[in-house]
Amino acid sequence: MATIPKILAFAGSTRVDSYNKKLVKIAAAGAATAGAEVTYIDLRDLPMPLFDEDVEAKEGMHPNALTFKNLLMEHQGLLIASPEYNSSITAVLKNALDWASRPALGEPPLAAFSGKVAAIMSTSPGALGGLRGLVHLRAILSNIGVLVLPGQVAVPKAYEMFKDDGTLKDAKKQQSIEKLAESVATILLKLS
Ligand code: FNR
């Protein structure tokens, strides 16, 4: 029998009322429906200092960065909803990825990312829904060994898109997020 795939879901925003947190929770539910075991985390719970090689050399990996990296290591799939800040990904997300990319002694490079399967999505108040940030996120993840699914979803006008229960008012967008997340679970099930 195929092993149940484990998928880590998080947003690149620490904002309490983050639209991207809402979006990735929709994806998380979709992946769970498709048979995955999904862990949702909030980067707000794992504050990390700005990565600095000198500090790393002196103090080692920050405990929250290590927790994040270990979570990545324990999961085969990723669901990431990233806000777009000035046409790119947020500093919080890039910083977390940078920390997690650092190898422990004797560990192969990019152990937390290599061979992972990811789906990426975004939402923003703007008309493009954070699409330009996804271009950067896709490039970054691909370059550190993550297989990023070709499909992606950007949801514009975030401020008017969500119902009180966290689902999207636009049924087609809701379905496209769920389908995208389901395909991560399905691919991982096939690979297992
Ligand atoms: C933004 N925002 C934004 N939106 C966008 O569509 N394109 C952009 O380039 C930017 N740039 C940007 C820069 C900075 C510094 C901030 C603080 C914000 C708006 C952003 O999409 C909005 O604040 C979202 O609500 C952020 O996502 P969360 O926190 O709601 O998930």
Coordinates of all heavy atoms in Angstrom, one line a residue, residues 5 105 135:
P5 N 1.3 10.5 2.0 CA 2.3 11.6 1.9 C 2.1 12.7 2.9 O 0.9 13.0 3.3 CB 2.0 12.2 0.5 CG 0.6 11.7 0.1 CD 0.3 10.5 0.9
L105 N 26.5 19.8 9.8 CA 27.7 19.1 9.5 C 27.5 17.7 8.9 O 26.8 16.9 9.5 CB 28.6 19.0 10.8 CG 30.1 18.9 10.7 CD1 30.6 20.2 10.0 CD2 30.7 18.7 12.0
V135 N 6.6 34.2 -9.7 CA 7.7 33.9 -10.7 C 9.0 33.8 -9.9 O 9.8 32.8 -10.2 CB 7.8 35.1 -11.7 CG1 9.0 34.9 -12.7 CG2 6.5 35.3 -12.5

